Amino acid sequence: MADLSGLSPRFAETRFHPFWQETVTDPLHLPLLNGPQSCDLAIVGAGFTGLWSALKARERHPDARIIVLEGRRLAEAASGRNGGFCAPSISHGVGNALARWPDEAETLVRLGLDNLDALERDLSRYGIAAEFERTGKINLAATPWQAEGLAQMRAAHARFGIDSRLMTGPELAAKLLSPVYPHGLYEENYAYVNPARLVHGLARACLNAGVEIYENSRVTALRDSGEALRLTTPGGEVTAGRVALATNADMPLLRRLRRTVVPIYDYTIMTEPLSDAQLAAIGWTGRHGVADSGNQFHYSRKTADNRILWGGYDAIHYFGSKRAAHLLNRAESYTRLETNFLAAFPALDGVRFSHAWGGIIDTSARLTFFVGTAFDGRLAYALGFTGQGVSASRFAALTMLDHLDGLDSERTALRMSHRLPVPFPPEPLRSAAIGWAQADLAKEDRTGRRSAMLRVMDRLGIGFGS
């Protein structure tokens, strides 16, 4: 267990688990896999990627038997622990698309915008009450060089016809008043969800469509029997004609993928519900979210009952890419988040924090997801979302299904999605390289100067972030 005894009195009544899970009023309780089963399609993982895969597979194949295997309870892993930022992008933003895939950036931007529109339509079609709201986002700058970055972002948006506008002074103060952030760029087309309600809503839609979902049924082995793929769990085995791997931040079942991502721990604190007067004191009366422009950045948004979620900044990699439940709480990160929150919003000095929690980000060296196949196209995988998976997971699911169905599509042709990222080195080089990159990124935040190593990484198409 993490030692949380040294936290300030603002954490005296804090619950150290995700707020989102408490908002699901009718949580599903699903059985364990028991005994041998066979199916047309087995999906490993019941997070966003796995559930979108199941739902979209059912639309394509009404008579197929589809089984989803989840190693925990619904919404306990990464899909229930994120901030619910639902971006109109599949490429970690317009700037990342231009920097890494300039020849297909226009396609990536268009597909990202279309994907968010289609996601909203799906939520309406299936009656999924995920608290979806398309209320915009303000990108904030604390320094002159970050303000220059916002201007460059605005130019990139204009190039692709995306509406955004730079803000300073009274115009910015009318949306967010903070002594830390004198510059902002407002995007109207940005959405938010309650991630736990989205997971449970997708799962219920799958069940209503005849998909079978088993909880607490972790897949411990994957093998090819010749005619089918076999997935072993503690309670039984599934024989499947096709398999989709949607385990993301967990250890990949395919050994070849184990160096393509690293688990990065990200931490979040959340205030108690705030009054109208408290929100007016920081100028935040609208429903938009915010994120700052540092390499070590914060993201923040409101819940339906006007709590403020404040997360990010620390991006912790534990030696050996360790994954463990006790790492999901970290006192040092909660204290740093508290300090930075109060610096950004001094008018909220008396606030208490109702919740705090951590989650794992499946970080790739190019900051975007990738999709591939194995076993002669009978298995597809998607991972590496790097903190941008709430909306991109739907697109990745469709791409996996295209591969499994043998379709040549615009999705499968994307260089971004079908090429593996540069692998992370083995330990101890991995932790040393990540630590070096993080130190240089922090120095750039302080000085505005990008180090020689970071410039080399840029030329090689390698990045590090969350």
Side-chain angles (χ1 to χ4, degrees):
M1 294 290 292
D3 181 8
L4 304 173
S5 60
L7 294 173
S8 82
R10 293 184 181 86
F11 292 92
E13 299 180 5
T14 300
R15 295 186 287 281
F16 292 98
H17 62 84
F19 162 78
W20 307 118
Q21 295 171 8
E22 298 177 7
T23 69
V24 181
T25 56
D26 54 346
L28 293 164
H29 298 283
L30 303 176
L32 285 71
L33 181 72
N34 185 18
Q37 302 286 343
S38 62
C39 63
D40 301 292
L41 173 64
I43 298 168
V44 184
F48 296 145
T49 308
L51 292 172
W52 279 119
S53 298
L55 194 58
K56 291 300 177 181
R58 170 57 76 225
E59 292 176 4
R60 297 185 184 195
H61 306 290
D63 300 322
R65 187 180 185 193
I66 302 169
I67 290 178
V68 181
L69 301 170
E70 168 55 42
R72 303 175 181 83
R73 296 289 307 279
L74 290 176
E76 281 188 352
S79 291
R81 291 177 169 272
N82 61 83
F85 281 63
C86 200
S89 173
I90 59 170
S91 59
H92 212 111
V94 175
N96 197 50
L98 283 169
R100 300 182 190 278
W101 301 280
D103 56 332
E104 65 180 20
E106 184 174 355
T107 300
L108 291 170
V109 171
R110 172 176 54 81
L111 291 174
L113 294 168
D114 291 346
N115 180 64
L116 182 59
D117 290 341
L119 185 152
E120 183 176 13
R121 290 195 298 271
D122 281 341
L123 298 184
S124 177
R125 172 187 177 186
Y126 287 102
I128 297 173
E131 297 176 5
F132 180 92
E133 51 183 345
R134 200 184 297 223
T135 48
K137 174 188 172 189
I138 304 177
N139 304 281
L140 298 167
T143 65
W145 49 89
Q146 290 177 5
E148 291 175 10
L150 293 185
Q152 294 169 5
M153 184 185 296
R154 171 68 187 93
H157 286 171
R159 175 175 172 178
F160 296 106
I162 298 172
D163 291 330
S164 63
R165 67 179 186 272
L166 295 167
M167 293 180 167
T168 58
E171 186 181 16
L172 177 59
K175 286 189 173 291
L176 192 81
L177 179 61
S178 168
V180 173
Y181 303 113
H183 304 275
L185 175 71
Y186 178 62
E187 305 175 59
E188 289 192 15
N189 187 25
Y190 208 100
Y192 305 88
V193 295
N194 177 323
R197 290 176 65 90
L198 177 55
V199 168
H200 279 267
L202 286 170
R204 197 174 298 279
C206 287
L207 294 171
N208 291 340
V211 173
E212 300 167 52
I213 305 173
Y214 297 94
E215 291 183 317
N216 294 314
S217 300
R218 179 178 295 278
V219 176
T220 57
L222 162 67
R223 69 183 190 278
D224 183 5
S225 66
E227 294 183 357
L229 298 174
R230 297 184 181 276
L231 301 167
T232 302
T233 77
E237 186 175 77
V238 173
T239 303
R242 298 286 185 271
V243 170
L245 294 184
T247 55
N248 298 329
D250 280 332
M251 179 69 76
L253 286 168
L254 288 180
R255 185 170 295 275
R256 75 178 76 167
L257 300 177
R258 292 184 179 177
R259 287 174 52 199
T260 59
V261 297
V262 292
I264 298 298
Y265 284 73
D266 179 73
Y267 298 92
T268 298
I269 60 176
M270 181 176 281
T271 70
E272 60 196 349
L274 300 183
S275 67
D276 290 345
Q278 286 174 305
L279 292 170
I282 60 171
W284 198 351
T285 57
R287 294 293 304 169
H288 51 274
V290 301
D292 65 43
S293 303
N295 295 310
Q296 296 175 295
F297 68 95
H298 291 292
Y299 55 87
S300 188
R301 58 162 294 191
K302 293 179 180 178
T303 62
D305 61 350
N306 282 337
R307 302 168 196 259
I308 290 181
L309 176 151
W310 180 258
Y313 198 82
D314 282 351
I316 305 299
H317 173 260
Y318 294 95
F319 187 87
S321 294
K322 185 184 297 184
R323 298 167 173 87
H326 73 274
L327 300 177
L328 292 170
N329 284 300
R330 185 173 188 265
E332 299 94 326
S333 292
Y334 295 149
T335 296
R336 185 170 293 111
L337 286 167
E338 175 189 25
T339 298
N340 294 351
F341 177 87
L342 294 174
F345 304 119
L348 299 181
D349 180 66
V351 76
R352 291 176 176 265
F353 300 111
S354 65
H355 295 77
W357 69 90
I360 308 178
I361 296 170
D362 55 330
T363 296
S364 75
R366 65 174 188 212
L367 310 183
T368 59
F369 75 88
F370 52 93
V371 177
T373 62
F375 300 110
D376 299 319
R378 290 175 292 152
L379 178 146
Y381 55 81
L383 69 163
F385 291 91
T386 319
Q388 295 283 306
V390 176
S391 53
S393 56
R394 179 187 178 278
F395 187 91
L398 290 167
T399 309
M400 281 200 294
L401 294 177
D402 287 350
H403 282 297
L404 292 174
D405 290 339
L407 300 177
D408 292 325
S409 68
E410 190 173 35
R411 287 183 287 260
T412 62
L414 288 174
R415 288 176 54 235
M416 184 202 81
S417 62
H418 75 243
R419 293 191 177 183
L420 291 177
V422 174
F424 289 91
E427 294 288 17
L429 292 177
R430 180 185 308 166
S431 290
I434 290 172
W436 186 2
Q438 287 181 315
D440 280 12
L441 290 167
K443 185 177 181 179
E444 183 183 18
D445 283 343
R446 294 191 303 270
T447 67
R449 294 190 294 273
R450 198 155 181 85
S451 71
M453 187 192 76
L454 293 177
R455 292 196 299 271
V456 170
M457 290 171 61
D458 292 340
R459 288 195 291 271
L460 295 176
I462 302 171
F464 183 79
S466 61

